[in-house]
Amino acid sequence: MKRYDFPNVFLWGGATAANQIEGGFHEGNKGLNIADVLPGGKERYNILLKPGFNFEIDRSKYYYPNHEAIDFYHRYKEDIALFAEMGFKVFRMSIAWTRIFPKGDELEANEKGLAFYDRVFDELLKYGIEPVVTISHYEMPLNLVKEYGGWRNREVVTFFERYVNVLFHRYKNKVKYWMTFNEINSGFVMPIQGLGFSIQKEEDKFQPTFQAFHHQFVASSIAVKACHDIIPKAKIGCMILYAPVYSYDSNPENIMYALQEESLFNNFCADVQVRGEYPSFIKRYFKENKIDLDMEEGDLQLLKEGTVDYIGFSYYMSRTEKKEKTDEEASQGNIIGGIKNPFLKASDWGWEIDPTGLRISLNQLYERYQVPLFVVENGLGAYDKVEEDGSINDDYRIDYLREHIKAMGEAVEDGVELMGYTSWGCIDLVSASSGEFSKRYGYIYVDKHDDGSGTLERKKKKSFYWYKDVIASNGRNL
Ligand code: BG6
């Protein structure tokens, strides 16, 4: 097999988010956040993709998987020891905003929450693992959702500014890698998780969605500038959900449509966060959709000054598009839309598997932005079986990861500047879209099931040993 030369300092590791692993949803004075009110099962998926949701907890009807998650809150030492055993150089995690500001709008930070992350960072650093921290990963304080209307409201920028300043001052000697908003562009398809509000009618989505994005861009620039001032040696990136858009065929109408979808979904947010200005194509889009952004004086200057140092992105799938598609065609395939690609197989959840799409993404992103790239999410959600002898032989996951790592190796040879790779859900966790535990991504199995049962015991899968060797060989042994 061909061997790849990854850069000498390549940041191998795994990725998670606070709401999907921690649990302890009421402990240490933590406040409720969006993930705490999302039920498990099919209903969650419907809530995320269809307009209308009231953000109340109703235990008589639903189970809430994020409340306990996999109990990282109490078991982080055991989990970090396993990451260290695999040789992780970095661990991507997020900070739950509601541990630091339980309601989001307080003036004083919550010391118990701050102390928890001190303990986690210290434990990581003890093993030489650098934390890569997402500041906001689908866990907006519920109070900001209910009382302020989420990111539509400009006041939220002020609360976010307070939050990030506390983080940078507190952790300036512990965290060198930061990211602002997880998959910021997912707000187009899942506004609840990304933007903190529910759209009531599909046709009403344009104005509030772009207004909320504008506030996030401003907040992101404020965070970047503060990070550079307070921790000059740190790097801070944006984080986008990237899924290259292929035209279904060579019909120029379909190619143009694919290009427009690509520009809007994949590039719009990164254009602002990396280049520091709204892209040219958006003016026409705003006009045609009657979007008129409310901006404050100085906003455009701020966007220019607060550009990110790198692009973090998630890559799970590509997307194939056709301008005119039947309902039947449109209903198949990926969570972010598109139609079925006849050349690709899909996961058990219908997500199309396309390693070459990762090489394409890396090339496209690097050519367009010319900043270092960091693959901070990628992986296969799959059902795992524990054999009678306790082993978990997840060869399908190893195959998936191997092909994607090869694609990264090719992209490095293509000349792409790649910082690292943190595969998603290095330890099994709650699925963001479906709330299931059975959609497993980990190298480490967690005995926790969709109905909330399970001992929470951790077990090493076959992929654990495989990834350990990948890291030890700097990607040469795949
Ligand atoms: C990304 C998110 O969209 O994909 C993660 O940043 C999420 O939070 C991951 O878990 C995988 O998606 P899912 O729905 O399988 O959990």
Side-chain angles (χ1 to χ4, degrees):
M1 193 199 292
K2 178 173 171 184
R3 288 178 176 255
Y4 292 94
D5 285 320
F6 285 92
N8 286 338
V9 184
F10 192 72
L11 306 176
W12 296 100
T16 58
N19 71 86
Q20 291 172 262
I21 57 169
E22 284 178 6
F25 85 115
H26 264 332
E27 290 183 61
N29 304 333
K30 179 182 160 294
L32 288 179
N33 63 32
I34 283 190
D36 293 324
V37 296
L38 292 176
K42 288 243 174 312
E43 198 50 35
R44 180 183 183 104
Y45 195 78
N46 291 338
I47 287 168
L48 291 176
L49 295 184
K50 292 194 181 135
F53 179 56
N54 68 4
F55 300 102
E56 296 297 335
I57 292 185
D58 182 354
R59 288 183 206 282
S60 67
K61 272 166 85 182
Y62 303 123
Y63 164 65
Y64 294 89
N66 300 67
H67 289 191
E68 186 187 49
I70 59 157
D71 196 31
F72 179 82
Y73 190 72
H74 297 108
R75 294 165 195 254
Y76 65 92
K77 287 194 179 170
E78 181 189 349
D79 295 341
I80 291 170
L82 289 166
F83 302 152
E85 194 182 327
M86 272 187 281
F88 278 20
K89 312 281 184 211
V90 291
F91 174 56
R92 178 178 173 227
M93 52 181 277
S94 67
I95 291 182
W97 190 345
T98 50
R99 285 202 191 282
I100 312 302
F101 288 98
K103 296 176 89 174
D105 58 358
E106 298 93 335
L107 292 175
E108 295 299 320
N110 170 36
E111 177 53 33
K112 282 190 175 166
L114 289 166
F116 168 67
Y117 292 108
D118 266 325
R119 293 196 293 276
V120 172
F121 296 146
D122 289 344
E123 195 67 18
L124 288 165
L125 295 169
K126 180 174 115 185
Y127 293 103
I129 303 174
E130 296 283 351
V132 175
V133 172
T134 320
I135 295 169
S136 180
H137 189 133
Y138 297 163
E139 48 221 340
M140 186 176 208
L142 197 60
N143 177 55
L144 298 186
V145 172
K146 288 184 162 183
E147 301 301 321
Y148 295 85
W151 279 99
R152 270 177 300 193
N153 189 329
R154 178 88 191 197
E155 263 190 279
V156 171
V157 175
T158 311
F159 304 139
F160 188 80
E161 181 171 9
R162 194 174 300 146
Y163 168 52
V164 298
N165 271 290
V166 166
L167 299 187
F168 296 146
H169 280 292
R170 177 76 172 219
Y171 304 124
K172 61 174 184 267
N173 297 321
K174 300 185 183 181
V175 181
K176 288 191 211 141
Y177 301 101
W178 298 87
M179 275 176 286
T180 50
F181 295 100
N182 181 64
E183 293 188 333
I184 183 165
N185 53 327
S186 71
F188 282 118
V189 282
M190 292 183 283
I192 290 181
Q193 285 176 321
L195 304 174
F197 57 85
S198 169
I199 308 259
Q200 298 303 317
K201 280 195 270 153
E202 186 67 14
E203 61 270 26
D204 291 343
K205 77 175 180 197
F206 292 104
Q207 180 69 27
T209 299
F210 283 91
Q211 189 62 56
F213 276 139
H214 180 70
H215 292 151
Q216 289 192 327
F217 296 150
V218 169
S220 168
S221 288
I222 289 172
V224 169
K225 287 182 70 174
C227 182
H228 288 159
D229 282 351
I230 301 165
I231 331 178
K233 63 178 186 301
K235 300 265 177 244
I236 180 161
C238 58
M239 192 322 198
I240 54 174
L241 189 177
Y242 201 86
V245 186
Y246 305 152
S247 171
Y248 176 73
D249 57 19
S250 55
N251 178 346
E253 290 301 316
N254 287 336
I255 295 178
M256 189 64 217
Y257 182 70
L259 175 68
Q260 284 171 328
E261 286 296 302
E262 174 99 33
S263 304
L264 189 66
F265 188 79
N266 286 333
N267 295 323
F268 166 66
C269 295
D271 283 349
V272 181
Q273 292 184 290
V274 182
R275 293 164 158 176
E277 53 189 42
Y278 277 87
S280 50
F281 68 82
I282 208 69
K283 290 195 184 81
R284 175 173 180 175
Y285 185 86
F286 280 179
K287 201 168 158 208
E288 288 179 354
N289 290 292
K290 302 191 177 44
I291 297 160
D292 185 15
L293 291 190
D294 208 354
M295 291 198 197
E296 285 187 6
E297 210 187 318
D299 278 3
L300 294 177
Q301 182 59 27
L302 191 58
L303 297 182
K304 275 199 188 355
E305 291 168 1
T307 55
V308 293
D309 302 317
Y310 68 93
I311 298 176
F313 71 102
S314 64
Y315 175 80
Y316 291 94
M317 64 193 86
S318 53
R319 168 176 160 200
T320 301
E321 277 295 357
K322 199 178 184 186
K323 194 170 178 192
E324 309 286 343
K325 43 190 180 263
T326 62
D327 286 350
E328 201 186 29
E329 279 175 323
S331 67
Q332 298 182 16
N334 302 317
I335 192 166
I336 46 169
I339 64 170
K340 203 165 168 38
N341 184 326
F343 297 97
L344 300 177
K345 293 205 173 93
S347 77
D348 289 338
W349 278 261
W351 292 17
E352 288 178 338
I353 299 171
D354 180 11
T356 303
L358 177 54
R359 181 177 174 190
I360 294 169
S361 304
L362 285 160
N363 275 279
Q364 286 177 335
L365 279 166
Y366 196 62
E367 278 173 23
R368 188 174 180 109
Y369 299 110
Q370 300 279 305
V371 295
L373 305 178
F374 195 166
V375 179
V376 294
E377 280 189 38
N378 168 244
L380 179 70
Y383 294 107
D384 287 333
K385 178 162 179 263
V386 184
E387 303 295 344
E388 274 180 20
D389 65 0
S391 63
I392 299 147
N393 299 306
D394 54 343
D395 292 290
Y396 37 89
R397 182 168 294 110
I398 294 172
D399 290 344
Y400 175 102
L401 294 167
R402 180 191 295 116
E403 293 310 309
H404 285 78
I405 294 174
K406 279 159 72 176
M408 291 193 307
E410 293 291 338
V412 169
E413 283 183 27
D414 294 334
V416 169
E417 197 180 340
L418 186 57
M419 293 165 63
Y421 178 71
T422 56
S423 63
W424 177 251
C426 46
I427 180 165
D428 290 348
L429 39 63
V430 182
S431 154
S433 61
S434 72
E436 293 162 300
F437 289 97
S438 53
K439 190 179 187 188
R440 297 176 182 275
Y441 287 88
Y443 305 109
I444 301 162
Y445 180 90
V446 179
D447 184 43
K448 183 88 193 266
H449 308 285
D450 292 346
D451 61 358
S453 65
T455 61
L456 293 167
E457 187 197 346
R458 278 61 171 153
K459 284 181 199 295
K460 299 171 197 171
K461 303 182 193 175
K462 189 172 176 184
S463 57
F464 180 101
Y465 302 99
W466 172 81
Y467 195 46
K468 182 178 176 176
D469 190 36
V470 171
I471 297 177
S473 64
N474 198 28
R476 291 184 73 74
N477 298 346
L478 292 175

